[in-house]
């Protein structure tokens, strides 16, 4: 199988999504910056979306996978908005967004 | 699909992977956020080639136009742009992160090969027909028909997230 056909197959899609998942997990674990952790979470969510869309085409040829990805994108948007609001609030309290500093339940 | 189109898809996948790599390992959070934008664009092109035209549009509008700008906005509000504290790789979890991320590789590889065998049964002409058909009308009908309950749940979630985010980021009184 040459590389062009591989890129157009489900294996190509799943390989890209696996790499995105691994890099997202790596970013979540290694970043100290709270926004860096959020970037990793976005990568993981995109990996899941690619999987749903790829199976929607290559396996069932039906629309359900695309609908799940649509809901996933909307949930990710809501999650990013709330997370950034929390980060801004935390920055106002502590003058830093280092995740190691977020160790108290109260302020 | 012609070889030229396949080449475009291959380039999009390489851009996605390369940008995601920079997002994960670049020590400067601002560069990471900018390359996240390219990763999202690559994913949008991949959606297009998988027959998800509507989703590609949503991906660009929500992720590229919304989430990335929001993240850049938050970075610039919370940090001095050229302050070296931006560089944040080197936490104590680097080695566990590498081990855990690479430990997933055999499982993912195994799953990929098994799924590749499973998928062979789908007829290619049905797949091509699905990929070529426009989806916007079908998605609209599904959202207000068979999938109306998750659709309404998402609207409540978005309202809650909107109010919650505004309340959290309110000015100090």
């Amino acid at each position: 199988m040459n590389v062009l056909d591989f890129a157009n197959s489900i294996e190509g899609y799943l390989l890209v999504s696996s790499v995105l998942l691994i890099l997202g997990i790596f970013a979540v674990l290694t970043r100290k910056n709270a926004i860096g952790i959020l970037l990793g979470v976005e990568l993981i969510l995109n990996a899941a979306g690619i999987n749903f869309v790829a199976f929607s085409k290559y396996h069932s040829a039906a629309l359900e996978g695309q609908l799940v990805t649509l809901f996933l994108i909307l949930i990710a948007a809501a999650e990013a908005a709330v997370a950034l609001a929390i980060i801004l609030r935390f920055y106002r309290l502590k003058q830093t967004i280092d995740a190691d500093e977020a160790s108290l339940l109260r302020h | 699909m012609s070889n030229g189109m396949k080449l475009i898809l291959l380039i999009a996948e390489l851009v996605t992977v390369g940008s995601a790599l920079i997002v994960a390992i670049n020590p400067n959070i601002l560069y990471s956020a900018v390359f996240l934008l390219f990763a999202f664009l690559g994913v949008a092109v991949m959606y297009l080639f998988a027959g998800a035209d509507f989703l590609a549009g949503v991906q660009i509008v929500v992720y590229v136009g919304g989430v990335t700008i929001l993240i850049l906005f938050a970075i610039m509000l919370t940090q001095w742009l050229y302050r070296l504290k931006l560089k944040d790789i080197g936490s104590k979890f680097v080695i566990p992160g590498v081990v855990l991320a690479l430990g997933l590789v055999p499982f993912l590889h195994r799953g990929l090969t098994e799924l590749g065998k499973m998928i062979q049964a789908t007829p290619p002409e049905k797949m091509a027909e699905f990929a070529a058909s426009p989806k916007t009308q079908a998605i609209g009908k599904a959202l207000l028909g068979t999938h109306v309950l998750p659709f309404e749940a998402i609207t409540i979630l978005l309202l809650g997230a909107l109010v919650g985010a505004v309340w959290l980021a309110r000015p100090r009184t």
Side-chain angles (χ1 to χ4, degrees), chain B:
Chain B
M1 199 188 288
S2 71
N3 272 343
M5 300 294 268
K6 285 179 186 169
L7 185 64
I8 293 174
L9 176 60
L10 178 66
I11 291 171
E13 292 180 350
L14 291 178
V15 165
T16 307
V17 169
S19 307
L21 188 67
I22 295 175
V23 171
I25 65 174
N26 196 304
N28 188 327
I29 192 76
L30 189 65
Y31 292 159
S32 283
V34 171
F35 275 94
L36 189 69
L37 190 144
F38 292 110
F40 287 158
L41 279 175
V43 172
V45 175
M46 287 174 67
Y47 284 173
L48 264 186
F49 278 89
D53 50 354
F54 182 71
L55 274 184
V58 170
Q59 169 90 2
I60 289 177
V61 169
V62 174
Y63 269 120
V64 180
V67 172
T68 314
I69 302 302
L70 205 61
I71 288 173
L72 284 173
F73 175 72
I75 291 173
M76 293 182 183
L77 268 184
T78 54
Q79 324 227 9
W80 298 92
L81 257 187
Y82 296 103
R83 198 165 63 181
L84 292 181
K85 270 187 81 178
L86 284 171
K87 299 183 187 283
D88 72 334
I89 291 283
S91 91
K92 52 185 180 285
F93 291 118
V94 167
I95 293 168
V98 172
V99 170
L100 187 63
L102 292 183
L104 279 172
V105 169
F107 295 103
L108 289 170
H109 177 72
R110 181 69 197 276
L112 272 178
T113 48
E114 291 295 319
L115 288 168
K117 286 176 203 155
M118 199 176 84
I119 297 303
Q120 299 299 327
T122 318
E125 58 274 9
K126 194 181 164 200
M127 208 186 283
E129 189 202 328
F130 176 76
S133 65
K135 302 292 184 307
T136 310
Q137 190 184 19
I139 286 181
K141 280 185 175 160
L143 282 183
L144 290 178
T146 50
H147 290 72
V148 69
L149 187 64
F151 179 68
E152 292 296 332
I154 285 285
T155 60
I156 300 290
L157 174 79
L158 282 176
L159 179 68
L162 186 70
V163 175
V166 168
W167 182 78
L168 278 171
R170 71 192 186 280
R172 209 196 310 251
T173 49

Side-chain angles (χ1 to χ4, degrees), chain A residues 57 63 71 105:
Chain A
K57 176 186 175 190
L63 210 55
F71 291 132
L105 279 177

